[in-house]
Amino acid sequence: MVSLYAQSLTRRSLAERTGALSQFAGVRLSTLGDGLERGVRQLEFRTGSGLRFTILVDRAMDIAECEHAGRAVAWHSPAGFRHPGLHDYEGEDGLAWLRSLSGLVVTCGLDHTLFMHDDPAEHYVYAPRKAVSSSLHGRVGTIPARLTGYGETWVGDECILWAEGIVQQATVFGEDLHLIRRIEATVGGDEIRLHDRVVNHGFYRTPHMYCYHINVGYPVVDEGARYVAPIRDVLWAAHVETYRAQGTGYRTVPAPIVNFHEQVWQHDMAPDAEGRVNVAIVNEARGFGFEVETLKSQFPAMYEWQNLHAGHYAIAIEPSTNHVLGKEFARERGELIWLEHGEERRYDSIFRILPDGVAVADAVRRIQDVARQPDEDYPQPSGKYPPINGAAA
């Protein structure tokens, strides 16, 4: 049944009330036409519940805008949703990625995440190539997708909105990795379902690292909002030497702060009985929130990013395949993923709008039932990184 406007409707009864589903919900392809966004294809999803979001086909099919009943969820940075043709991957000593950082979901990978790194290139069997140089968070987020389909599919009396595409990160004498992405939402629903497969299409043995930079902004993020998560240990904080200097701990959001320096944590999250990890940013005063659900087996690591500088003002939930200390740390511990030809990794995530106080309270209760996070805003990082994929600590 389709749940719309406080009614449960069959497919037939919904059809009786309109000449086209697009009156309430649907997926529509368009092209942005002005400024640095000019020429970027996007898919607009509307579920009819108040959930609206856009997919940037020409930027890895990442999720850009997201709102519910006119209330914004996704963070929009000053950089905007600029055309990938303007992106200079090697620029600014590897930091040019920041000039394309905007929107709800920015995908990081496919062979590298985290800070800049030069990787030995012997596995690509090409003598002139001594190293693979990777910039911040990898290449994939500014590669256009080949759109393989989109639309609406009825399964009985349930209608699924969907889009699929393939993003190919490839070069001669190097990686040939395909991101095969499917995004779904149910008509009448408040969830976005993201299903990714990363496949080694080439014949070189290739490293794989993966992370989502999930960026939430105002009005979810506002003074008094909370980061709620089943944290069983705080592993790392980038700013531990000046832990209290900015007066902002991991848990409670302050008002915007001029000249705030980003803060990043890695937390070890406890999964529930089904292996799921749920993390939320909740604004209880406003009765509004956003929740991310991942699988611990797919994303064993989780970062928290705070960018609370005035004019930026965002918090990111960042599920990752690897610990925050990077590729060399993963390699030394035997935790770096290597894909042979035809091998793949799958990632299945849910992004859930918490539209009112009841939904916010339910999410907080569910998360706290799994594990109680530290009550202290400045818990001392342990530096004890759990093994990933069975590697020795």
Side-chain angles (χ1 to χ4, degrees):
M1 302 284 278
V2 173
S3 178
L4 281 176
Y5 315 122
Q7 287 185 294
S8 294
L9 303 170
T10 65
R11 180 178 183 178
R12 179 187 174 93
S13 60
L14 184 63
E16 290 172 342
R17 286 160 171 79
T18 182
L21 179 66
S22 58
Q23 180 172 324
F24 317 111
V27 186
R28 180 171 58 183
L29 177 64
S30 62
T31 301
L32 300 174
D34 198 16
L36 50 75
E37 302 170 344
R38 184 179 179 185
V40 175
R41 293 171 297 162
Q42 68 171 9
L43 290 164
E44 179 188 41
F45 282 63
R46 295 177 300 119
T47 70
S49 72
L51 174 59
R52 174 189 171 274
F53 61 97
T54 58
I55 306 300
L56 298 182
V57 178
D58 291 313
R59 286 184 37 167
M61 293 190 71
D62 276 337
I63 303 173
E65 301 166 312
C66 181
E67 62 184 47
H68 190 275
R71 298 177 296 175
V73 175
W75 175 58
H76 291 206
S77 84
F81 303 121
R82 75 176 186 165
H83 193 284
L86 300 175
H87 186 68
D88 177 12
Y89 180 75
E90 312 292 346
E92 301 183 59
D93 295 324
L95 291 175
W97 179 85
L98 295 169
R99 294 191 180 273
S100 294
L101 173 59
S102 192
L104 184 69
V105 177
V106 178
T107 303
C108 308
L110 297 170
D111 60 339
H112 176 78
T113 63
L114 301 162
F115 273 98
M116 297 74 74
H117 183 262
D118 286 338
D119 203 26
E122 291 90 347
H123 51 290
Y124 293 134
V125 197
Y126 184 58
R129 190 175 198 186
K130 305 300 182 185
V132 177
S133 294
S134 298
S135 294
L136 177 64
H137 282 318
R139 298 178 183 273
V140 71
T142 53
I143 299 176
R146 176 164 58 88
L147 183 60
T148 56
Y150 67 95
E152 303 98 27
T153 299
W154 283 92
V155 181
D157 285 323
E158 182 178 71
C159 185
I160 307 298
L161 311 177
W162 61 275
E164 291 183 341
I166 300 173
V167 184
Q168 184 171 358
Q169 179 186 322
T171 185
V172 176
F173 306 127
E175 80 277 9
D176 183 5
L177 295 172
H178 290 197
L179 166 60
I180 303 167
R181 172 161 284 182
R182 181 177 175 91
I183 298 167
E184 297 179 345
T186 300
V187 172
D190 287 328
E191 295 182 351
I192 305 168
R193 299 184 293 278
L194 178 61
H195 303 288
D196 284 347
R197 294 166 50 217
V198 177
V199 183
N200 185 356
H201 186 259
F203 287 83
Y204 295 118
R205 183 173 181 258
T206 302
H208 168 53
M209 300 177 75
Y210 207 50
C211 176
Y212 297 142
H213 213 287
I214 305 168
N215 309 298
V216 182
Y218 178 86
V220 177
V221 173
D222 202 4
E223 186 172 10
R226 292 195 297 142
Y227 179 90
V228 179
I231 299 171
R232 56 188 177 192
D233 192 15
V234 176
L235 306 181
W236 179 87
H239 55 295
V240 70
E241 299 300 324
T242 56
Y243 212 14
R244 298 173 183 264
Q246 298 190 107
T248 303
Y250 88 94
R251 191 178 52 161
T252 306
V253 180
I257 299 171
V258 174
N259 294 329
F260 185 89
H261 190 285
E262 71 164 4
Q263 297 186 162
V264 185
W265 283 264
Q266 182 180 346
H267 307 298
D268 182 32
M269 303 296 189
D272 68 13
E274 284 75 45
R276 299 171 300 194
V277 172
N278 293 76
V279 179
I281 300 170
V282 298
N283 190 318
E284 287 148 316
R286 191 163 278 133
F288 195 33
F290 179 75
E291 182 180 3
V292 173
E293 180 174 302
T294 57
L295 292 172
K296 185 77 171 183
S297 59
Q298 296 175 345
F299 286 119
M302 185 73 73
Y303 319 143
E304 174 191 356
W305 180 72
Q306 294 178 336
N307 178 7
L308 302 175
H309 173 61
H312 291 180
Y313 204 56
I315 292 179
I317 298 168
E318 298 184 54
S320 174
T321 55
N322 295 96
H323 292 304
V324 73
L325 296 185
K327 186 176 280 185
E328 281 307 310
F329 185 75
R331 190 194 310 274
E332 290 167 3
R333 288 164 52 106
E335 296 174 350
L336 184 62
I337 299 167
W338 289 89
L339 298 177
E340 301 286 354
H341 171 71
E343 291 185 337
E344 66 178 56
R345 286 293 179 109
R346 292 176 177 262
Y347 304 95
D348 304 287
S349 306
I350 298 173
F351 309 131
R352 183 176 295 121
I353 305 297
L354 307 174
D356 53 36
V358 173
V360 166
D362 179 67
V364 171
R365 177 193 55 76
R366 285 187 286 102
I367 293 168
Q368 291 181 341
D369 283 349
V370 175
R372 298 284 299 197
Q373 67 194 88
D375 290 329
E376 183 186 0
D377 282 329
Y378 303 92
Q380 186 63 31
S382 71
K384 297 177 180 178
Y385 299 93
I388 289 176
N389 293 336

